[in-house]
Each structure stands twice: as C-alpha cells, then as structure tokens.
Amino acid sequence: MQLITTRNKEIYFAELKKAISSGNGLELIHPGDKFAIELKNGELVNAVCGGYVNEKRARFVLEDCLAEKWRMNDTPTNKGGYIKSEGRRHVLEDILPLFPDELAEAFEPRFMSEEIDGERHEYADTLWIPSATDVFGAGDWWSEEPDSFQLEIFKRERDRVKEHIGDGTWFWWLRSPYASGSDGFVSVYTDGTVFSSIAIYSIGFAPGFDL
C-alpha cells in the first residue's frame, strides 16, 4: 500500500505508520494530504489526513461517501445514542472488515464518550463516523462532545462537502444525536452546512480512523 499525498510524494504505508507513532508524522503527511485504499470489495477510496490528535496520533476521514448508503437506526429514533445505533453496528461489522488487513491492524482505537438518559458511556472503536464537533466545532445542535475537536480539514464549509457515486454532492451522517429532537442524528448537507436527518434515512457514510 502506497501513500499518495497532495505534494506528489509516494511512500509505503509502513513508513508512514512508523513516522506517526514515533512523533515524526508531520515530516511525511499534513492535514489535507491523502492516500488511496482499495477495499476488499474492489471499491477505491481516499483517506484524508484531518489533523493530529497529538504528536503521535493522526486522524483520517474518507474523502467521499462509500458506495453503499445506510441508515443510523431501523426506527426513527436516536434513543441509545451512537453506541447502540445501527449505524455503529454497520461501521464495525460491515465496513471495517473491508479494509486491507495491514491497514486495519494499524488503526488506533479512538476513545469516545456520550451521555444517554443522564448516564455517561465511554468506549473505544477503531473505525467510526465523525462527530458533529469533528466537523463543525462546538454548536447547539448537539450535546457537548468532550472526546472531539474540530479537524483542520473541516474549517471551511466547502471542505465539508462529500460526493456519492451517481449522485454528485450528497448528505452524509455524523454520529451525534440531534439534541432538539428524538428522531434523528446530525448530518452534513450537500453545501457543507449542518443538517439533521431522520435516523431511518439511508444517506452517506464516510468513516474515519486514527493512526
């Protein structure tokens, strides 16, 4: 697996992983740089460096939506939050196994935290869909997310826009329950602005991972 960056460099994935884990990731990859991945089903995707969590951890998000659209829940509800959602199950059981083994084995679990019915839940996933805070920063459409910060690649609206094959620019899911309603999760509109979609709607998925 090779890395193809916006500065037209090519390096092997193992070299990238070693550089990041040793604190030298910025010597090879910066926010906005990307590398191509061929999934096991033959689908080709690009992973974009969103920014650094710390000097030894970089956060990546897929550049565009995966070919298969999916829902966040089987009923129009956000009860149970992301941790108990159909969207999370889909990411971990259907999407994660499609990644090349060498890459998936290098994913670093991301700590996540959410409050559901007054109870705090803490967990860690190796593949996830971004939170609203990852994309928009602090806002009032969703509850406070202490596990998240706005990624460099999402500072401008135009950079939040994603495409879905056959549809052009498209809506895509975020894992944050919509705070003012019980039937949906926050999503990103086709122009890169914040939106809320009912949980049973099948729209775009663009997961992320840490290295």
Side-chain angles (χ1 to χ4, degrees):
M1 184 184 301
Q2 286 187 321
L3 164 74
I4 303 175
T5 78
T6 55
R7 296 185 305 281
N8 298 317
K9 291 184 179 180
E10 292 188 1
I11 62 171
Y12 286 102
F13 171 73
E15 183 182 354
L16 172 65
K17 174 62 178 176
K18 181 179 180 181
I20 293 173
S21 61
S22 63
N24 299 314
L26 281 170
E27 295 180 5
L28 297 180
I29 192 165
H30 288 76
D33 292 344
K34 59 190 176 183
F35 65 95
I37 304 168
E38 181 175 358
L39 302 180
K40 291 178 181 177
N41 62 0
E43 186 174 352
L44 299 176
V45 299
N46 288 325
V48 183
C49 179
Y52 281 77
V53 181
N54 55 52
E55 64 177 11
K56 295 184 178 182
R57 180 183 289 240
R59 185 153 288 167
F60 294 81
V61 178
L62 295 194
E63 182 177 31
D64 288 311
C65 300
L66 292 168
E68 186 173 29
K69 301 171 187 174
W70 208 259
R71 60 198 177 277
M72 284 298 289
N73 270 321
D74 295 326
T75 58
T77 181
N78 56 30
K79 183 176 177 60
Y82 179 66
I83 190 173
K84 297 180 180 179
S85 69
E86 164 61 17
R88 180 178 181 237
R89 184 214 63 78
H90 177 58
V91 167
L92 295 177
E93 296 182 15
D94 301 333
I95 301 175
L96 179 58
L98 296 177
F99 280 80
D101 294 340
E102 176 191 14
L103 179 59
E105 289 169 1
F107 290 168
E108 296 288 346
R110 176 180 176 175
F111 167 79
M112 293 187 284
S113 174
E114 60 183 321
E115 187 173 310
I116 304 170
D117 297 329
E119 183 179 350
R120 177 64 57 180
H121 295 261
E122 297 180 348
Y123 54 105
D125 291 347
T126 55
L127 191 71
W128 32 264
I129 53 176
S131 68
T133 304
D134 287 343
V135 177
F136 297 106
D140 57 6
W141 285 45
W142 54 92
S143 300
E144 182 181 2
E145 297 175 314
D147 57 2
S148 305
F149 61 92
Q150 188 178 28
L151 297 176
E152 288 293 323
I153 58 169
F154 294 131
K155 293 291 178 70
R156 302 185 305 172
E157 284 183 2
R158 63 186 295 179
D159 296 327
R160 302 170 193 152
V161 173
K162 296 193 182 297
E163 294 195 356
H164 179 267
I165 186 169
D167 294 308
T169 55
W170 200 246
F171 305 82
W172 54 287
W173 280 121
L174 302 177
R175 61 178 172 84
S176 308
Y178 179 47
S180 297
S182 61
D183 63 352
F185 287 77
V186 181
S187 59
V188 183
Y189 194 58
T190 55
D191 62 0
T193 57
V194 65
F195 197 65
S196 174
S197 297
I198 298 175
I200 57 172
Y201 290 173
S202 288
I203 60 174
F205 269 66
F209 53 86
D210 287 358
L211 292 177

